Amino acid sequence: MPSCLPQLVTSLNSKLDGMQKLFLLLKDEQKSIIEVDLASLETLESRKRDLLGAMERGNAEYRLLLRDAARELKLEKAESLSPLIQKSPAPFRETLSKLQSSLLETGDSLNKVLDLNRDLLEASLKHVRENMAFFDAIMNRRKTYGDAGTMVMNGSKSRLVCKEI
């Protein structure tokens, strides 16, 4: 029976490649958020969906290969790569270990970029909501800044400009 470890390495390399492509897309998304480039954001969203779909299919293949490799190496159950690395032959052990650390580093980088993009989007939405509330107040003649800048009359019908701070 041929070893499934080379296929597992290929699958992990493909997974790493997909994560790196996603990282670049997220960096482009970050730039588009900052520049408020909606057309670019829509294009990037479509590309992200395609990439994430391909990555999901790759993850399904990876899980099957992980299960087969665990069976091949006579492991009871392997839900992660670490037990396989310990039991795999020396040439694969080094390769799998490097891939695992690269995947973890890339995953951390992805999380950081996702967090920053989320913060940028939340700040943008907050800004839009504040502007909408401001314009709503102007359009509906509600007081935006209290009575500042309005004409007021006192009991003797004198008109004054209200000077609130």
Side-chain angles (χ1 to χ4, degrees), residues 7 20 38 59 72 117:
Q7 292 174 312
Q20 290 168 340
L38 297 179
N59 282 340
E72 180 180 312
N117 286 2

Side-chain angles (χ1 to χ4, degrees), residues 12 81 85 88 91-104:
L12 287 170
L81 199 53
I85 292 172
S88 63
F92 287 108
R93 188 177 310 136
E94 186 177 328
T95 303
L96 290 172
S97 181
K98 286 180 182 177
L99 279 169
Q100 184 183 39
S101 63
S102 294
L103 286 165
L104 290 172

Side-chain angles (χ1 to χ4, degrees), residues 10-128:
T10 302
S11 176
L12 287 170
N13 278 320
S14 176
K15 184 175 184 165
L16 181 60
D17 183 53
M19 289 173 72
Q20 290 168 340
K21 286 178 183 176
L22 181 61
F23 179 80
L24 294 175
L25 283 175
L26 290 172
K27 290 298 265 184
D28 288 344
E29 181 182 65
Q30 192 177 91
K31 182 180 174 190
S32 296
I33 291 169
I34 292 169
E35 294 175 355
V36 192
D37 185 356
L38 297 179
S40 176
L41 281 172
E42 287 180 24
T43 303
L44 289 168
E45 181 66 26
S46 173
R47 290 174 52 199
K48 276 191 330 188
R49 285 178 198 246
D50 294 343
L51 180 59
L52 289 172
M55 288 176 71
E56 186 65 33
R57 289 186 294 278
N59 282 340
E61 176 188 348
Y62 163 72
R63 284 189 291 275
L64 290 173
L65 287 168
L66 187 68
R67 187 189 67 207
D68 292 346
R71 192 176 311 128
E72 180 180 312
L73 296 172
K74 296 177 178 53
L75 290 172
E76 194 172 304
K77 193 174 186 181
E79 294 183 10
S80 69
L81 199 53
S82 295
L84 286 178
I85 292 172
Q86 295 170 358
K87 289 276 192 166
S88 63
F92 287 108
R93 188 177 310 136
E94 186 177 328
T95 303
L96 290 172
S97 181
K98 286 180 182 177
L99 279 169
Q100 184 183 39
S101 63
S102 294
L103 286 165
L104 290 172
E105 288 174 19
T106 306
D108 287 341
S109 297
L110 279 172
N111 285 334
K112 289 176 184 174
V113 171
L114 282 169
D115 288 343
L116 181 57
N117 286 2
R118 184 191 66 240
D119 291 344
L120 288 171
L121 285 170
E122 286 175 352
S124 295
L125 284 173
K126 180 182 175 199
H127 183 69
V128 167

Side-chain angles (χ1 to χ4, degrees), residues 133-139 141-148 150:
F134 175 78
F135 287 118
D136 183 51
I138 289 174
M139 299 304 282
R141 304 251 188 242
R142 284 186 273 151
K143 294 180 181 177
T144 306
Y145 298 111
D147 287 326
T150 61

